[in-house]
Amino acid sequence: RQSGRRYNLFLKRRLRIDKRHQSKDSIFFRDGVRRIDFVLSYVDDLNKEWEKKLERRKEFESNLQKAGLELETEDKKESEDGKIYFVKIHAPWEVLITYAEVLNIKVPIKENDIPSAVENPLDCLLAPLRLPEKVMHPEPDYFTAPFSKEKQELYLINDESTFFSPSMRNRIVNYILTRCPYGTEEGKKKFGIKRLLNNGTYSAAYPLHDCQYWKKANDPNCDNERYTLYMEWARFLRFYKEQPLDLIRKYYGEKIGIYFAWLGFYTEMLFLAAVVGLICFLYGLFTMDENMSSKEICDPAIGGEIIMCPLCDRECEYWRLNTTCESSEYSHLFDNVATLFFAIFMGIWVTLFLEFWKRRQARLKYEWDLVDFEEEQQQLQLRPEYEAKCTQKKKNPVTQEMEPYLPITSQAVRFCISGTTVLFWVSLIIASMIAVIVYRLAVYAAFASLMENTQSLQPISGLLTPQLATSVTASCLNFVIIMILNFLYERIAIWITDMEIPRTHMEYENRLTMKMFLFQFVNYYSSCFYVAFFKGKFVGYPGAYTYMFNRWRNEECDPAGCLIELTTQLTIVMAGKQIWGNIQEAVVPWICNWWGRRKARNNPENLYSRWEQDHDLQIFGALGLFYEYLEMVIQFGFITLFVASFPLAPLLALMNNILEIRVDSWKLTTQYRRPVAAKAHSIGVWQEILNGMAILSVVTNAFIVAFTSDMIPRLVYYYAYSENEDSPMSGYINNSLSVFQISDFPDRNKPKLNPENFVICRYRDYRYPPDHERRYLHTMQFWHILAAKLAFIIIMEHVVFIVKFFVAWMIPDVPADVKAKIKREKYLTQKILHEYELEKLKERLCQGDKRATEKEFIATEGRMELSRAM
């Protein structure tokens, strides 16, 4: 009853406030004129730190006002829960123009007069995929120049309140917030909103969304860009539409815009790889019945009469080859001639993807005014943490100013600790992989015994062999271990990167990226590398098997080859990661927001203010995009490094990415606070990682085709050892299996039972029979096959690398029309600036300014002529 009375008082108070002021869903101060550029929130809790926090806030807010920002505080009585204060921040025109010059922000000086590209005749066919022109290009295209306070007449300033977009405004305010001091503690000067958030002085700091995502705002001054993004981009039913990249860039900033541009381009390029991969898979499907190897394995007169040696010591029994009939048929889906073609195709596809992305990126750099951004980024993004923690200073040889620096000795100690930590965690992954291998070796005998003695499993025993059961369960166990190690290592990687104290934001991201990628690379791919390149390669032979730790016998491949097991491993890890990733990205934020807003949903909408609505959303942190890139680059590794074993991998990735674009856009638009706008001219260090993986993928796929698939042994048999001209591949299975005399088994290996009194058994290898003078040693065919495998690797790598480098050389990184536009813009910008300076000089001469000499006028006019000539 008491809580109900309190809630009624809250409603009355809110209604009284709303009569005096504008709608609570407004993005303006109470006067309805000044725009809210940023919001700070805090809870006034009366604990022992209360006075210290109050003093910090007073000092910080006072310094913000001294910097020119205007503040307006919403009392906690006016908040939904009666506990949270909100400090609204507005940057007036004088502050914006001051820091626009400091941040080197480019602004319009003239509408672009370069004719647009000639329309493509096929554009009419793509019309259903297009978005309305106003959504795709929300602003006219302008020539731009860095802002200068002294040349304001030069810029196209129609309205001071809208000249700087909201994303520019929040970027400027965030720059001030991260550098604003709030006092001195323990003899050190303290500054920056990040520290105040970490120590609990403020609970949140964020820019506002411009409206609710599901309906337009009532305020006519609101652009409703969030609503447009949701309706045209963030809904899954729009999955077939192009992305409104210019609007994304305008609303969220270039850094987020370039991520979605890259993800969209990657998805478009995957379409070609998915189609070719599907054709290769269908080729395997339609030629299953023509596969001589599986025919011989399934034939009762051939495979049914071949007795195979036990796959484990003592417990396992002798078995007939035709029990693996189904798995041998399915292995042909992925182990056929099309596998070789697809491996070569993907090596070239990767190069085309990376080269065409460079061209797309160059076009975006021009269109988004990022051409001269490299120098700007190095100067502007000095981390406040670096400035705070580096107490020693030295003179910069370029600027001749004193600046903070970290001594070499301190850097060396920090790098040693960091490197040791990373090495320890990588060793932990390898140890966990060895544990999974031990699991595979230990449970194989159990699965073999269970399937032999359990009647209910007999109907599926042909499909679910002990090898496959072991492989599937081990893959699932490996996936669980991968997820757990990822969860733990993420925290460690951030901690050790913070400890290194990187100088700039770019340096921080690059270091964290390399640490995380190295770990994820080993974590996700180690099990696939084991199955592809180690399993079944160091088995020994009956009577002389090799053992891990002198206890567990090494695994053998299925008689049909290890490729089907690599396919199983790849499918489980790749699909599992994608499903789990989408659950994490979409479901978890939705549940958190639903739980956090369960009370607010009962309140009238007009009483639930815009800053409170955004406060209840999830935080899109500084590393939000980092995890998105990491997820996609790991997927890129799956579809390139091991694609020879699974041609359907690009199709799975394509379907996931179509969903991923809409999930990412939906969560960013509806479930997260608006991120602070940030600039980026490229995808950064991820480009180098992708280039490295592209080169590595050629090597791994060559080794998979040579050593994991059965293609080379088949070709050697076909051309050198086949004796049947009418059916060259008949007899291949018998040829690929060596003979072992059961009486030669030592007691450690010999099965407990031999009810049918077999005399010999067969095993997968090329060794001389027991009655040969070189018994159980490798035959010449083994060495011929090994030589053919090594020759194939060298030839395939050289052919693919030559084609890759030729394609990369043929395709210029920057399109010719973009080069021309950049030159044209630079020329026109210089011309406009020179004409402006000339006009100013004329005015000064007319006004009798003695400082404006005739020589200065002539020099300026001459500079214009020189610029025209150039």
Side-chain angles (χ1 to χ4, degrees):
R1 187 179 297 175
Q2 189 175 357
S3 62
R5 194 179 297 122
R6 193 160 50 235
Y7 180 67
N8 287 331
L9 286 171
F10 161 72
L11 286 180
K12 287 178 183 177
R13 184 170 64 249
R14 271 297 179 86
L15 288 168
R16 190 167 59 251
I17 291 166
D18 277 8
K19 286 175 184 175
R20 293 200 308 266
H21 306 299
Q22 87 283 9
S23 165
K24 300 297 287 185
D25 195 42
S26 172
I27 54 170
F28 294 92
F29 274 21
R30 294 191 190 102
D31 57 18
V33 176
R34 291 174 293 171
R35 187 186 188 97
I36 302 170
D37 297 312
F38 229 89
V39 174
L40 308 178
S41 68
Y42 62 91
V43 178
D44 205 2
D45 48 349
L46 300 173
N47 56 21
K48 60 181 179 181
E49 293 272 315
W50 176 73
E51 289 187 6
K52 189 180 284 186
K53 289 179 181 177
L54 180 63
E55 190 178 331
R56 286 177 190 149
R57 280 194 294 268
K58 281 185 178 178
E59 182 72 18
F60 186 68
E61 289 172 18
S62 172
N63 288 331
L64 288 178
Q65 289 175 321
K66 287 176 185 175
L69 297 178
E70 296 175 2
L71 310 183
E72 184 176 86
T73 303
E74 292 285 331
D75 194 85
K76 66 180 181 181
K77 295 175 184 177
E78 299 176 16
S79 67
E80 185 269 327
D81 60 1
K83 297 178 182 177
I84 305 174
Y85 290 86
F86 291 94
V87 180
K88 298 175 287 186
I89 301 175
H90 169 74
W93 175 253
E94 293 74 19
V95 171
L96 293 173
I97 60 176
T98 300
Y99 285 93
E101 188 169 8
V102 170
L103 293 171
N104 208 28
I105 290 175
K106 290 185 175 182
V107 293
I109 55 172
K110 181 185 177 183
E111 195 157 337
N112 192 337
D113 61 357
I114 300 175
S116 57
V118 180
E119 287 191 12
N120 190 333
L122 299 176
D123 277 353
C124 58
L125 299 176
L126 301 175
L129 309 179
R130 304 290 188 203
L131 287 172
E133 182 65 21
K134 191 175 180 182
V135 176
M136 286 302 297
H137 304 289
E139 293 179 314
D141 191 15
Y142 294 105
F143 291 131
T144 59
F147 188 84
S148 172
K149 286 172 70 175
E150 297 175 356
K151 301 174 183 176
Q152 290 187 45
E153 303 93 336
L154 181 65
Y155 308 112
L156 301 178
I157 305 174
N158 298 321
D159 184 352
E160 290 183 357
S161 63
T162 58
F163 180 68
F164 293 103
S165 68
S167 61
M168 287 181 186
R169 297 174 72 103
N170 73 54
R171 183 174 162 227
I172 289 170
V173 174
N174 184 66
Y175 182 85
I176 298 170
L177 289 173
T178 54
R179 284 157 177 79
C180 183
Y182 61 83
T184 304
E185 295 177 11
E186 301 172 0
K188 292 181 181 179
K189 190 177 181 182
K190 302 289 184 179
F191 59 90
I193 187 63
K194 189 174 180 181
R195 282 176 174 271
L196 293 172
L197 290 170
N198 290 339
N199 62 32
T201 305
Y202 289 100
S203 58
Y206 53 94
L208 292 180
H209 282 295
D210 63 355
C211 67
Q212 292 167 331
Y213 67 85
W214 65 88
K215 68 171 190 176
K216 291 184 178 181
N218 296 323
D219 193 331
N221 295 320
C222 180
D223 294 331
N224 295 298
E225 288 173 350
R226 186 190 188 194
Y227 170 79
T228 304
L229 284 169
Y230 174 71
M231 297 301 293
E232 302 291 348
W233 177 53
R235 293 189 301 163
F236 182 72
L237 292 177
R238 314 290 282 179
F239 73 90
Y240 61 94
K241 294 281 189 181
E242 61 185 337
Q243 296 187 86
L245 294 176
D246 287 347
L247 185 58
I248 296 167
R249 172 243 182 172
K250 184 186 175 192
Y251 192 74
Y252 290 116
E254 288 81 0
K255 195 170 186 178
I256 289 176
I258 208 98
Y259 163 72
F260 280 104
W262 176 81
L263 181 56
F265 184 79
Y266 171 43
T267 305
E268 289 170 18
M269 289 294 290
L270 271 176
F271 182 78
L272 175 62
V275 170
V276 177
L278 182 61
I279 292 170
C280 292
F281 174 78
L282 292 175
Y283 170 83
L285 183 65
F286 292 137
T287 58
M288 275 177 69
D289 295 336
E290 301 170 17
N291 181 27
M292 185 57 68
S293 299
S294 58
K295 277 183 181 180
E296 290 188 346
I297 290 174
C298 297
D299 189 344
I302 301 174
E305 295 299 321
I306 295 176
I307 308 302
M308 300 296 292
C309 296
L311 293 169
C312 63
D313 294 338
R314 304 291 291 164
E315 298 297 329
C316 295
E317 299 179 355
Y318 301 101
W319 52 286
R320 297 183 186 276
L321 184 59
N322 65 349
T323 57
T324 61
C325 175
E326 284 86 352
S327 63
S328 69
E329 288 179 335
Y330 288 123
S331 70
H332 178 71
L333 290 172
F334 309 107
D335 191 358
N336 54 64
V337 179
T339 302
L340 172 60
F341 164 76
F342 193 58
I344 295 172
F345 167 80
M346 285 302 291
I348 299 167
W349 175 88
V350 169
T351 305
L352 290 173
F353 163 63
L354 293 174
E355 291 303 315
F356 281 124
W357 165 246
K358 288 178 187 175
R359 291 170 63 82
R360 181 80 178 98
Q361 191 169 258
R363 193 175 293 279
L364 287 173
K365 280 175 72 172
Y366 166 72
E367 292 174 356
W368 291 357
D369 297 322
L370 299 168
V371 174
D372 302 318
F373 180 63
E374 289 84 352
E375 299 81 10
E376 187 185 327
Q377 182 158 351
Q378 292 299 325
Q379 293 169 4
L380 299 181
Q381 295 198 359
L382 196 68
R383 296 178 69 235
E385 293 86 351
Y386 181 85
E387 295 177 284
K389 292 179 182 177
C390 298
T391 53
Q392 299 186 37
K393 295 193 175 184
K394 68 175 181 180
K395 185 179 284 188
N396 187 311
V398 178
T399 62
Q400 293 296 303
E401 293 179 359
M402 297 300 289
E403 63 177 24
Y405 85 103
L406 194 64
I408 295 293
T409 52
S410 178
Q411 286 184 41
V413 171
R414 292 171 189 275
F415 279 129
C416 285
I417 296 171
S418 172
T420 306
T421 307
V422 173
L423 193 62
F424 167 77
W425 278 87
V426 169
S427 303
L428 194 62
I429 299 171
I430 295 170
S432 68
M433 187 190 72
I434 292 172
V436 173
I437 294 170
V438 169
Y439 163 84
R440 298 171 78 113
L441 303 178
V443 303
Y444 179 81
F447 275 122
S449 177
L450 179 69
M451 292 180 180
E452 186 71 27
N453 300 320
T454 306
Q455 294 297 320
S456 60
L457 295 176
Q458 289 299 318
I460 60 167
S461 61
L463 181 61
L464 188 64
T465 60
Q467 292 102 318
L468 187 59
T470 304
S471 182
V472 170
T473 55
S475 299
C476 294
L477 177 63
N478 184 63
F479 176 71
V480 172
I481 292 173
I482 284 171
M483 291 294 109
I484 293 171
L485 289 175
N486 269 353
F487 176 79
L488 297 173
Y489 182 76
E490 280 177 11
R491 277 93 186 140
I492 300 295
I494 292 169
W495 175 74
I496 57 178
T497 307
D498 287 338
M499 183 199 64
E500 290 174 9
I501 319 179
R503 188 172 184 274
T504 63
H505 290 284
M506 180 196 282
E507 196 176 319
Y508 180 90
E509 284 190 16
N510 289 352
R511 289 189 190 180
L512 181 61
T513 298
M514 294 310 297
K515 289 184 185 70
M516 285 295 294
F517 177 73
L518 174 64
F519 177 84
Q520 298 263 20
F521 184 91
V522 179
N523 200 14
Y524 278 107
Y525 303 142
S526 57
S527 58
C528 293
F529 272 101
Y530 164 71
V531 175
F533 306 123
F534 296 97
K535 184 180 177 183
K537 308 299 186 292
F538 309 100
V539 176
Y541 62 93
Y545 289 117
T546 54
Y547 289 81
M548 178 179 279
F549 306 129
N550 205 32
R551 180 176 177 183
W552 291 287
R553 188 173 125 190
N554 285 348
E555 283 184 287
E556 295 181 44
C557 285
D558 190 277
C562 263
L563 201 68
I564 190 70
E565 291 191 47
L566 178 57
T567 304
T568 304
Q569 178 77 25
L570 187 66
T571 307
I572 289 174
V573 176
M574 181 181 173
K577 184 187 183 307
Q578 291 181 169
I579 293 167
W580 178 249
N582 284 322
I583 290 172
Q584 273 189 313
E585 290 182 21
V587 178
V588 173
W590 181 82
I591 291 173
C592 292
N593 287 335
W594 173 82
W595 182 256
R597 292 184 296 190
R598 64 193 188 284
K599 290 182 181 178
R601 287 197 307 273
N602 299 322
N603 294 341
E605 200 170 272
N606 62 332
L607 303 186
Y608 190 34
S609 65
R610 161 85 359 243
W611 44 92
E612 287 178 279
Q613 292 173 41
D614 285 9
H615 181 269
D616 288 340
L617 297 175
Q618 298 299 297
I619 302 169
F620 191 81
L623 297 176
L625 276 186
F626 167 80
Y627 293 114
E628 301 297 342
Y629 275 119
L630 185 62
E631 179 187 0
M632 287 296 104
V633 170
I634 293 296
Q635 182 206 82
F636 181 81
F638 280 125
I639 68 159
T640 54
L641 296 177
F642 307 102
V643 76
S645 68
F646 190 35
L648 291 180
L651 181 62
L652 285 181
L654 175 65
M655 292 190 293
N656 174 79
N657 287 9
I658 290 171
L659 180 64
E660 180 77 21
I661 290 173
R662 304 304 156 178
V663 167
D664 286 351
S665 58
W666 174 80
K667 72 178 185 184
L668 201 60
T669 308
T670 68
Q671 303 301 307
Y672 283 90
R673 294 174 189 164
R674 185 174 184 170
V676 177
K679 282 204 168 193
H681 70 287
S682 68
I683 61 174
V685 72
W686 297 110
Q687 182 81 38
E688 301 307 316
I689 290 173
L690 292 173
N691 288 335
M693 292 180 79
I695 293 169
L696 181 60
S697 67
V698 177
V699 180
T700 55
N701 283 304
F703 272 85
I704 286 172
V705 173
F707 285 98
T708 310
S709 81
D710 260 8
M711 183 174 297
I712 304 300
R714 286 194 202 117
L715 290 174
V716 170
Y717 178 79
Y718 183 92
Y719 288 108
Y721 290 90
S722 176
E723 297 175 354
N724 188 336
E725 293 183 3
D726 297 329
S727 180
M729 287 306 294
S730 61
Y732 168 72
I733 290 296
N734 187 59
N735 175 267
S736 67
L737 299 173
S738 298
V739 178
F740 182 77
Q741 191 165 303
I742 290 174
S743 60
D744 292 338
F745 263 128
D747 291 337
R748 179 180 184 178
N749 305 132
K750 188 180 292 186
K752 293 178 181 178
L753 301 173
N754 184 7
E756 299 185 48
N757 296 317
F758 297 124
V759 177
I760 62 167
C761 64
R762 309 293 292 274
Y763 60 98
R764 184 182 169 84
D765 207 342
Y766 295 91
R767 292 178 184 269
Y768 289 110
D771 57 355
H772 196 277
E773 59 181 12
R774 302 186 65 193
R775 56 185 284 167
Y776 303 138
L777 295 178
H778 284 125
T779 64
M780 282 305 296
Q781 188 173 352
F782 171 84
W783 300 110
H784 290 161
I785 291 171
L786 181 61
K789 287 179 176 180
L790 296 175
F792 169 80
I793 290 170
I794 294 168
I795 293 168
M796 179 179 167
E797 284 181 1
H798 280 69
V799 167
V800 175
F801 278 134
I802 288 169
V803 174
K804 278 169 67 71
F805 291 130
F806 178 73
V807 168
W809 175 75
M810 284 285 292
I811 302 173
D813 290 350
V814 182
D817 65 313
V818 172
K819 283 183 180 178
K821 287 178 179 178
I822 290 171
K823 289 177 182 177
R824 168 76 176 159
E825 180 163 344
K826 281 186 176 179
Y827 162 71
L828 288 175
T829 303
Q830 280 187 337
K831 181 182 175 185
I832 291 167
L833 288 170
H834 293 163
E835 286 176 351
Y836 171 80
E837 289 177 11
L838 195 62
E839 288 299 319
K840 281 292 180 186
L841 272 172
K842 284 180 180 177
E843 287 178 16
R844 286 164 61 190
L845 283 169
C846 292
Q847 291 169 4
D849 190 342
K850 295 179 181 178
R851 290 174 296 175
T853 64
E854 190 175 345
K855 287 183 180 179
E856 187 180 356
F857 177 77
I858 294 168
T860 305
E861 199 167 33
R863 190 171 66 177
M864 283 179 62
E865 292 297 327
L866 185 63
S867 175
R868 285 196 197 98
M870 290 174 68

